[in-house]
């Protein structure tokens, strides 16, 4: 059950990142999507969705690997655990 929850937690930001890529691609080809009045606003929202989705997935993977002690020394958490 934990694996299914973890998969769902990763699929949602991954889907948002894919939507961000689509919005940026559509702006490149001049296709304006419905909720956006300007192309540049569509690109900014797409970029934010892409960065947010990728950042969440990357942070999730880094947190998991830190917990399992599978990261290089420069990525290890230097804060002391209580």
């Amino acid at each position: 059950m934990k694996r299914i929850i973890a998969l769902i937690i990763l699929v949602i930001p991954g889907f948002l990142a894919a939507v961000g890529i689509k919005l940026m691609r559509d702006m490149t080809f001049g296709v304006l999507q419905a909720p956006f009045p300007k192309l540049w606003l569509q690109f900014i929202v797409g970029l934010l969705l892409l960065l947010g989705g990728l950042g969440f997935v990357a942070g999730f993977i880094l947190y998991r690997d830190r917990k399992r002690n599978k990261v290089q020394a420069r990525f290890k958490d230097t804060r002391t655990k209580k």
Side-chain angles (χ1 to χ4, degrees):
M1 188 66 180
K2 288 182 181 180
R3 289 180 187 227
I4 293 173
I5 293 171
L7 179 66
I8 291 171
I9 290 172
L10 288 177
V11 165
I12 293 170
F15 176 74
L16 291 176
V19 169
I21 290 172
K22 182 194 178 309
L23 288 175
M24 291 190 306
R25 184 197 64 185
D26 286 349
M27 193 286 295
T28 303
F29 294 118
V31 178
L32 188 61
Q33 297 296 327
F36 303 107
K38 304 280 185 190
L39 283 174
W40 61 267
L41 182 63
Q42 179 177 318
F43 182 82
I44 297 295
V45 170
L47 184 64
L48 290 175
L49 285 173
L50 175 67
L51 293 177
L54 285 180
F56 185 86
V57 171
F60 186 87
I61 292 171
L62 181 63
Y63 175 77
R64 185 195 62 181
D65 287 348
R66 277 184 182 164
K67 207 164 62 168
R68 295 179 182 179
N69 204 15
K70 293 186 176 185
V71 294
Q72 293 179 1
R74 67 180 176 170
F75 294 116
K76 290 190 182 197
D77 197 7
T78 57
R79 295 176 280 168
T80 57
K81 306 277 184 191
K82 289 186 179 182

